[in-house]
Amino acid sequence: MSEFIDAYQRALKESLADEERFRAVALRLLRHGVIAAKDSQHELALYSDCLRLKPLLDDYFHILGCRLHHDVDYQYFRLYPPGAGAPGQVGADAEEVTGLRLKLTYAEIAAAIAVCFLYDKARQDGRLDDEGEVVESLETFHTAMQTTLKRSLPDGAVERKSIFHRLKQMKIIGYDHEADLNDPETVIVLRPFVTSLVYPDAVNIIEAALPPDNDDEVNSAASNENGDETDVHG
């Protein structure tokens, strides 16, 4: 057994965890990018393991060139891939790790930016609840897309549902599984996790970058740890 594995085994023992739990947490972060304690009992267990294993996870992801961010207030961990940086910048190794990056359509990016805009406005207005969330109608969401990005979601119901499902999967919005996503009066929950994905000043950058109607896939390319970086990232 190598010295590296020996050190890894000792660190696991000191963390009072086993290799199976370490693997479960690391794979969850690599696959989904985020672990949120309040989303389910399963994620709460993963979050607790992540807390206990954080020093070892930090070292492990550092070797990969990734960053593990812990938001204590809203109790979630987010993994940032190599190359995530400031607006318009990527790291030298970014092309080597495209598998860790979300592939988003332009429509999905625009929708995420609209969520960010609405969330930041709600925060400035003091409308966030104790969980850091705010409820908005789909009508308000569509208006935000049109006024901030001069864009609308696709007309097709299936395409719209796919976009909202993707945002929910990224944990930046929530809605009832039976919600009618074509009804302007339907409400969605804007979640604090959006602040670690996109930011208010990203609107100007994305507005210049997004073509009027292009749904080609693009790689999201930047992130934030303390609110001072921009773009969409997973």
Side-chain angles (χ1 to χ4, degrees), residues 46-63:
L46 288 170
Y47 178 84
S48 298
D49 288 334
C50 203
L51 278 176
R52 186 166 61 254
L53 291 164
K54 188 175 185 302
L56 185 56
L57 288 166
D58 282 336
D59 290 343
Y60 172 71
F61 288 126
H62 176 74
I63 292 172

Side-chain angles (χ1 to χ4, degrees), residues 67-181:
R67 290 185 297 148
L68 182 61
H69 170 61
H70 181 207
D71 189 297
V72 178
D73 293 333
Y74 296 127
Q75 295 184 296
Y76 71 90
F77 284 93
R78 183 175 292 283
L79 181 65
Y80 295 106
Q89 300 177 354
V90 293
D93 55 353
E95 293 185 359
E96 303 298 324
V97 291
T98 53
L100 293 180
R101 292 175 175 276
L102 287 176
K103 292 181 182 294
L104 302 178
T105 65
Y106 284 111
E108 289 167 345
I109 291 178
I113 294 295
V115 171
C116 174
F117 175 83
L118 287 174
Y119 186 87
D120 188 65
K121 187 176 186 301
R123 178 167 51 186
Q124 292 180 26
D125 294 342
R127 295 192 292 115
L128 302 185
D129 64 18
D130 292 340
E131 302 297 327
E133 299 178 341
V134 64
V135 174
E136 296 284 8
S137 69
L138 285 183
E139 182 177 14
T140 301
F141 168 81
H142 291 305
T143 299
M145 282 199 69
Q146 293 168 356
T147 57
T148 61
L149 297 171
K150 299 178 176 63
R151 289 178 64 91
S152 300
L153 289 183
D155 293 331
V158 174
E159 293 174 281
R160 289 193 175 200
K161 184 176 181 179
S162 176
I163 291 170
F164 285 119
H165 175 73
R166 193 60 181 272
L167 298 186
K168 186 176 184 180
Q169 190 178 51
M170 293 163 62
K171 297 184 182 293
I172 65 176
I173 68 169
Y175 55 83
D176 188 88
H177 71 282
E178 296 181 352
D180 182 357
L181 298 176

